[in-house]
Short mmCIF file of all heavy atoms in Angstrom, two decimals:
data_model
loop_
_atom_site.label_atom_id
_atom_site.label_comp_id
_atom_site.label_asym_id
_atom_site.label_seq_id
_atom_site.Cartn_x
_atom_site.Cartn_y
_atom_site.Cartn_z
N PRO A 170 18.75 106.64 41.75
CA PRO A 170 19.08 108.05 41.89
C PRO A 170 19.66 108.57 40.57
O PRO A 170 20.10 107.80 39.73
CB PRO A 170 20.12 108.08 43.00
CG PRO A 170 20.43 106.69 43.35
CD PRO A 170 19.48 105.79 42.65
N ARG A 171 19.65 109.84 40.43
CA ARG A 171 20.12 110.48 39.19
C ARG A 171 21.49 109.94 38.81
O ARG A 171 22.42 109.92 39.61
CB ARG A 171 20.20 111.98 39.41
CG ARG A 171 20.53 112.74 38.17
CD ARG A 171 20.51 114.21 38.46
NE ARG A 171 21.54 114.54 39.41
CZ ARG A 171 22.58 115.33 39.15
NH1 ARG A 171 22.69 115.89 37.99
NH2 ARG A 171 23.47 115.59 40.07
N ARG A 172 21.61 109.48 37.59
CA ARG A 172 22.88 108.96 37.11
C ARG A 172 23.76 110.13 36.67
O ARG A 172 23.28 111.17 36.28
CB ARG A 172 22.66 108.04 35.92
CG ARG A 172 21.90 106.82 36.33
CD ARG A 172 22.21 105.70 35.43
NE ARG A 172 21.60 104.52 35.99
CZ ARG A 172 22.18 103.37 36.05
NH1 ARG A 172 23.38 103.22 35.60
NH2 ARG A 172 21.57 102.33 36.55
N PRO A 173 25.08 109.93 36.75
CA PRO A 173 25.96 111.02 36.34
C PRO A 173 25.76 111.34 34.87
O PRO A 173 25.58 110.46 34.04
CB PRO A 173 27.36 110.47 36.60
CG PRO A 173 27.21 109.01 36.67
CD PRO A 173 25.81 108.75 37.15
N ALA A 174 25.78 112.62 34.56
CA ALA A 174 25.61 113.06 33.19
C ALA A 174 26.89 112.80 32.40
O ALA A 174 26.89 112.82 31.19
CB ALA A 174 25.26 114.53 33.16
N LEU A 175 27.99 112.57 33.09
CA LEU A 175 29.30 112.45 32.47
C LEU A 175 29.86 111.06 32.75
O LEU A 175 29.92 110.63 33.89
CB LEU A 175 30.20 113.51 33.10
CG LEU A 175 31.46 113.93 32.38
CD1 LEU A 175 31.13 114.54 31.02
CD2 LEU A 175 32.20 114.95 33.21
N VAL A 176 30.28 110.35 31.72
CA VAL A 176 30.92 109.05 31.90
C VAL A 176 32.42 109.27 32.08
O VAL A 176 32.94 110.36 31.81
CB VAL A 176 30.63 108.10 30.72
CG1 VAL A 176 29.16 107.75 30.65
CG2 VAL A 176 31.11 108.67 29.42
N ALA A 177 33.13 108.23 32.52
CA ALA A 177 34.55 108.36 32.86
C ALA A 177 35.39 108.90 31.71
O ALA A 177 36.21 109.81 31.89
CB ALA A 177 35.09 107.01 33.31
N ARG A 178 35.21 108.37 30.52
CA ARG A 178 36.00 108.82 29.37
C ARG A 178 35.80 110.31 29.10
O ARG A 178 36.75 111.05 28.86
CB ARG A 178 35.62 108.01 28.14
CG ARG A 178 36.40 108.42 26.90
CD ARG A 178 35.99 107.61 25.73
NE ARG A 178 36.28 106.21 26.04
CZ ARG A 178 36.33 105.25 25.15
NH1 ARG A 178 36.08 105.51 23.91
NH2 ARG A 178 36.60 104.02 25.52
N ASP A 179 34.55 110.75 29.16
CA ASP A 179 34.27 112.17 28.92
C ASP A 179 34.82 113.05 30.04
O ASP A 179 35.25 114.18 29.80
CB ASP A 179 32.77 112.39 28.77
CG ASP A 179 32.22 111.72 27.51
OD1 ASP A 179 33.01 111.50 26.57
OD2 ASP A 179 31.02 111.42 27.48
N ALA A 180 34.82 112.52 31.27
CA ALA A 180 35.38 113.27 32.39
C ALA A 180 36.88 113.49 32.18
O ALA A 180 37.40 114.59 32.40
CB ALA A 180 35.12 112.55 33.71
N ALA A 181 37.58 112.44 31.75
CA ALA A 181 39.02 112.56 31.50
C ALA A 181 39.31 113.55 30.39
O ALA A 181 40.22 114.39 30.51
CB ALA A 181 39.59 111.18 31.16
N ARG A 182 38.54 113.49 29.33
CA ARG A 182 38.74 114.43 28.21
C ARG A 182 38.47 115.87 28.64
O ARG A 182 39.20 116.79 28.28
CB ARG A 182 37.83 114.07 27.06
CG ARG A 182 38.27 112.83 26.34
CD ARG A 182 37.35 112.50 25.21
NE ARG A 182 37.83 111.31 24.53
CZ ARG A 182 37.07 110.53 23.79
NH1 ARG A 182 35.80 110.82 23.63
NH2 ARG A 182 37.57 109.46 23.22
N SER A 183 37.42 116.05 29.42
CA SER A 183 37.09 117.39 29.88
C SER A 183 38.19 117.94 30.79
O SER A 183 38.58 119.11 30.68
CB SER A 183 35.75 117.36 30.62
OG SER A 183 35.39 118.64 31.06
N ALA A 184 38.70 117.10 31.69
CA ALA A 184 39.77 117.54 32.60
C ALA A 184 41.01 117.91 31.81
O ALA A 184 41.65 118.94 32.09
CB ALA A 184 40.09 116.42 33.60
N ALA A 185 41.38 117.11 30.81
CA ALA A 185 42.55 117.42 29.99
C ALA A 185 42.36 118.73 29.25
O ALA A 185 43.29 119.55 29.15
CB ALA A 185 42.80 116.28 29.00
N ARG A 186 41.17 118.97 28.75
CA ARG A 186 40.87 120.22 28.04
C ARG A 186 41.00 121.42 28.99
O ARG A 186 41.57 122.46 28.62
CB ARG A 186 39.47 120.12 27.46
CG ARG A 186 39.13 121.20 26.48
CD ARG A 186 37.81 120.98 25.76
NE ARG A 186 36.70 120.71 26.67
CZ ARG A 186 36.07 119.52 26.80
NH1 ARG A 186 36.46 118.50 26.08
NH2 ARG A 186 35.08 119.37 27.64
N HIS A 187 40.53 121.28 30.23
CA HIS A 187 40.64 122.38 31.19
C HIS A 187 42.10 122.66 31.55
O HIS A 187 42.51 123.83 31.64
CB HIS A 187 39.84 122.06 32.47
CG HIS A 187 38.36 122.18 32.30
ND1 HIS A 187 37.73 123.36 31.96
CD2 HIS A 187 37.38 121.26 32.43
CE1 HIS A 187 36.43 123.17 31.88
NE2 HIS A 187 36.19 121.89 32.15
N VAL A 188 42.88 121.59 31.75
CA VAL A 188 44.30 121.79 32.10
C VAL A 188 45.03 122.48 30.95
O VAL A 188 45.81 123.40 31.17
CB VAL A 188 44.98 120.44 32.47
CG1 VAL A 188 46.49 120.58 32.51
CG2 VAL A 188 44.45 119.94 33.80
N ARG A 189 44.76 122.05 29.72
CA ARG A 189 45.40 122.69 28.57
C ARG A 189 45.02 124.18 28.51
O ARG A 189 45.87 125.03 28.29
CB ARG A 189 44.97 122.01 27.28
CG ARG A 189 45.46 122.78 26.06
CD ARG A 189 45.12 122.08 24.80
NE ARG A 189 46.31 121.31 24.48
CZ ARG A 189 46.41 120.49 23.47
NH1 ARG A 189 45.38 120.30 22.68
NH2 ARG A 189 47.52 119.87 23.23
N GLY A 190 43.77 124.48 28.74
CA GLY A 190 43.33 125.87 28.70
C GLY A 190 43.93 126.73 29.80
O GLY A 190 44.22 127.90 29.59
N LEU A 191 44.13 126.15 30.97
CA LEU A 191 44.65 126.92 32.11
C LEU A 191 46.17 127.03 32.13
O LEU A 191 46.72 128.05 32.55
CB LEU A 191 44.16 126.30 33.42
CG LEU A 191 42.66 126.43 33.66
CD1 LEU A 191 42.23 125.51 34.80
CD2 LEU A 191 42.29 127.87 33.96
N THR A 192 46.86 125.97 31.68
CA THR A 192 48.33 125.99 31.75
C THR A 192 48.98 126.33 30.42
O THR A 192 50.16 126.72 30.39
CB THR A 192 48.87 124.61 32.20
OG1 THR A 192 48.54 123.64 31.21
CG2 THR A 192 48.33 124.22 33.55
N GLY A 193 48.24 126.14 29.34
CA GLY A 193 48.83 126.37 28.02
C GLY A 193 49.72 125.22 27.58
O GLY A 193 50.41 125.31 26.57
N ARG A 194 49.73 124.12 28.31
CA ARG A 194 50.56 122.96 27.99
C ARG A 194 49.67 121.76 27.63
O ARG A 194 48.61 121.58 28.22
CB ARG A 194 51.44 122.60 29.18
CG ARG A 194 52.41 123.71 29.55
CD ARG A 194 53.32 123.26 30.68
NE ARG A 194 54.29 124.28 30.97
CZ ARG A 194 54.17 125.15 31.97
NH1 ARG A 194 53.14 125.10 32.78
NH2 ARG A 194 55.12 126.05 32.16
N ALA A 195 50.17 120.97 26.69
CA ALA A 195 49.41 119.80 26.25
C ALA A 195 49.53 118.67 27.29
O ALA A 195 50.63 118.35 27.73
CB ALA A 195 49.94 119.30 24.91
N PRO A 196 48.43 118.07 27.65
CA PRO A 196 48.47 116.94 28.59
C PRO A 196 49.16 115.73 27.96
O PRO A 196 49.02 115.47 26.77
CB PRO A 196 46.99 116.63 28.84
CG PRO A 196 46.25 117.84 28.42
CD PRO A 196 47.06 118.47 27.34
N GLU A 197 49.94 115.03 28.76
CA GLU A 197 50.60 113.80 28.33
C GLU A 197 49.67 112.61 28.49
O GLU A 197 49.72 111.68 27.72
CB GLU A 197 51.86 113.53 29.19
CG GLU A 197 53.02 114.39 28.84
CD GLU A 197 53.80 113.85 27.65
OE1 GLU A 197 54.27 112.71 27.70
OE2 GLU A 197 53.90 114.60 26.68
N GLY A 198 48.88 112.62 29.54
CA GLY A 198 47.98 111.50 29.77
C GLY A 198 47.21 111.65 31.06
O GLY A 198 47.41 112.60 31.83
N VAL A 199 46.34 110.69 31.29
CA VAL A 199 45.53 110.65 32.51
C VAL A 199 46.21 109.69 33.47
O VAL A 199 46.51 108.55 33.11
CB VAL A 199 44.10 110.16 32.19
CG1 VAL A 199 43.27 110.02 33.46
CG2 VAL A 199 43.43 111.10 31.21
N THR A 200 46.48 110.14 34.68
CA THR A 200 47.16 109.29 35.65
C THR A 200 46.19 108.67 36.66
O THR A 200 46.48 107.65 37.26
CB THR A 200 48.24 110.07 36.43
OG1 THR A 200 47.61 111.17 37.09
CG2 THR A 200 49.32 110.57 35.49
N SER A 201 45.04 109.30 36.86
CA SER A 201 44.04 108.75 37.77
C SER A 201 42.66 109.30 37.42
O SER A 201 42.55 110.35 36.80
CB SER A 201 44.39 109.07 39.23
OG SER A 201 44.36 110.47 39.44
N LEU A 202 41.66 108.54 37.84
CA LEU A 202 40.28 108.94 37.57
C LEU A 202 39.43 108.35 38.68
O LEU A 202 39.48 107.15 38.93
CB LEU A 202 39.85 108.38 36.21
CG LEU A 202 38.46 108.68 35.73
CD1 LEU A 202 38.30 110.16 35.44
CD2 LEU A 202 38.17 107.88 34.48
N GLU A 203 38.68 109.20 39.36
CA GLU A 203 37.87 108.72 40.49
C GLU A 203 36.52 109.41 40.50
O GLU A 203 36.42 110.63 40.39
CB GLU A 203 38.61 109.02 41.80
CG GLU A 203 37.87 108.58 43.03
CD GLU A 203 38.62 108.96 44.29
OE1 GLU A 203 39.77 109.44 44.22
OE2 GLU A 203 38.03 108.80 45.37
N ARG A 204 35.48 108.61 40.63
CA ARG A 204 34.12 109.14 40.74
C ARG A 204 33.92 109.62 42.17
O ARG A 204 34.23 108.91 43.12
CB ARG A 204 33.11 108.02 40.41
CG ARG A 204 31.69 108.45 40.56
CD ARG A 204 31.24 109.24 39.34
NE ARG A 204 29.84 109.57 39.46
CZ ARG A 204 29.39 110.80 39.48
NH1 ARG A 204 30.20 111.81 39.37
NH2 ARG A 204 28.11 111.05 39.61
N THR A 205 33.44 110.83 42.33
CA THR A 205 33.15 111.37 43.66
C THR A 205 31.65 111.57 43.79
O THR A 205 30.90 111.35 42.84
CB THR A 205 33.88 112.71 43.89
OG1 THR A 205 33.39 113.67 42.95
CG2 THR A 205 35.39 112.56 43.75
N GLU A 206 31.23 112.00 44.95
CA GLU A 206 29.81 112.22 45.21
C GLU A 206 29.21 113.27 44.28
O GLU A 206 28.09 113.13 43.80
CB GLU A 206 29.63 112.64 46.66
CG GLU A 206 28.21 112.59 47.13
CD GLU A 206 28.11 112.88 48.62
OE1 GLU A 206 28.80 112.20 49.40
OE2 GLU A 206 27.36 113.79 48.97
#
Side-chain angles (χ1 to χ4, degrees):
R171 186 177 64 116
R172 295 206 172 223
L175 200 61
V176 295
R178 180 180 299 196
D179 294 336
R182 287 180 179 158
S183 181
R186 192 172 51 250
H187 286 298
V188 167
R189 172 177 265 177
L191 292 167
T192 64
R194 297 184 176 100
E197 284 278 302
V199 176
T200 59
S201 64
L202 180 67
E203 180 182 352
R204 177 80 176 120
T205 63
E206 193 174 306

